[in-house]
Amino acid sequence: MTKRAGFVALIGEPNAGKSTLLNRMVGAKISIVTHKVQTTRARIRGVAMAGEAQIVFVDTPGLFRPRRRLDRAMVAAAWGGAADADVVVLLIEAHRGLTEGVRAILDTLRERIGGRPVALAINKIDRVKAESLLALTEEMNAAFPFTRTFMISAEKGHGVEALREWLAGEMPEGPWLYPEDQIADLPMRMIAAEITREKLTLRLHQELPYELTVETEAWEDREDGSTRIDQIIYVARDGHKGIVLGRKGETAKAVGQASRVELEEFLGRRVHLFLTVKVRPNWLEEAERYSEMGLNFKDGA
Ligand SMILES: Nc1nc2c(ncn2[C@@H]2O[C@H](COP(=O)(O)OP(=O)(O)OP(=O)(O)O)[C@@H](O)[C@H]2O)c(=O)[nH]1
Ligand SMILES: [Mg+2]
């Protein structure tokens, strides 16, 4: 059989389940998932195999109306991911249907993504009655000429194989883009920072997760088989430092513990994780913070 390889961009509103789908396709957790919106900040590539086809999934930040610099850089990264892809998959949530946000995405798709296949994946079908899906499929296809429609549950795995099979056939013929055993195209230190950011997002409330960022400062694989990882949590305000640390440092300790456990599982080695919280009032306006996240600072201007 001939080899095939190409890129599939996963786009959709925040919280649609893009990262969940990427992880399922790849078979490993390489993109963080939370119940909160705006979890993914940059383009994350995961590699999946389907027979002789290599499908490089590009997880993107959710698409929404951007207000701040970081928002704008995230949305630009998402559309950049779609523009480079061979196939675009739009994820929507079955229980929310054709929202205003989805309509806005369809408008931009019409303007920017000419000629390429765009598939619709109605996700979270486990949350609705099957009867409602037919009407939603019709409504969506009246609003946009989707190449195909899939009904899936990224979390439970329903319908995901059919989507994978179809995507495999859509990939252009050509050599594979990554070695067969590579599953992610993201530096380990960035994955490690993302894991800690996930644990922070799960524990902190309201706007705070948005206003912090995590960077891996140092990484040392030791001869005894363990790894020492030093990370900095940047917050924008003094008051936030106290919240991240928690009473007697309990919050930071719990976050560090949860992150370390997942890092050990991911790396398959013992991990010593050291977290430092730093106040940096202007980090949301610093180019270096954006490049550390894999974003383009100028996109946010
Ligand atoms: N019930 C149900 N929940 C799902 C499904 N897929 C994803 N979720 C949940 O939806 C939430 C958001 O999932 P993510 O994968 O982080 O969504 P995302 O589109 O990557 O979100 P952003 O990165 O913020 O744009 C999480 O709580 C997931 O567990 C599904 O098929 N069914
Ligand atoms: Mg995501």
Side-chain angles (χ1 to χ4, degrees), residues 13-20 33-40 62 123-124 126-127 153-155:
E13 287 190 282
N15 231 28
K18 302 174 292 295
S19 301
T20 305
V33 170
T34 79
H35 58 287
K36 297 190 180 158
V37 298
Q38 296 177 37
T39 298
T40 306
N123 188 31
K124 309 194 185 183
D126 54 287
R127 294 193 55 168
S153 170
E155 196 165 82

Side-chain angles (χ1 to χ4, degrees), residues 7 15 24-25 43-44 50 108 117 127-128 139 155 157 174 193 201 207 211-212 224 232 235 238 244 265 268 301:
F7 292 92
N15 231 28
R24 180 164 285 282
M25 287 293 192
R43 266 177 269 173
I44 294 177
T108 311
R127 294 193 55 168
V128 299
E139 187 186 16
E155 196 165 82
T201 304
E207 279 279 88
E211 297 202 14
L212 61 78
D224 65 3
I232 299 180
V235 294
D238 255 332
V244 170
E265 202 178 310

Side-chain angles (χ1 to χ4, degrees), residues 225-281:
S226 69
T227 298
R228 178 187 169 125
I229 301 172
D230 290 82
Q231 294 180 330
I232 299 180
I233 302 165
Y234 288 109
V235 294
R237 284 183 240 170
D238 255 332
H240 288 173
K241 181 172 177 172
I243 299 172
V244 170
L245 290 172
R247 207 155 39 90
K248 294 188 195 152
E250 277 164 6
T251 306
K253 198 172 161 200
V255 164
Q257 172 111 347
S259 180
R260 179 182 54 76
V261 167
E262 194 165 316
L263 281 163
E264 288 184 336
E265 202 178 310
F266 193 84
L267 296 170
R269 34 196 297 149
R270 225 147 49 80
V271 170
H272 310 279
L273 176 63
F274 295 87
L275 300 179
T276 310
V277 186
K278 282 195 184 166
V279 182
R280 206 159 168 120

Side-chain angles (χ1 to χ4, degrees), residues 61-86:
L63 293 163
F64 57 100
R65 193 175 302 164
R67 289 183 292 140
R68 298 170 280 199
R69 182 185 270 271
L70 178 56
D71 296 345
R72 288 191 292 271
M74 283 163 51
V75 168
W79 281 116
D84 296 340
D86 297 291

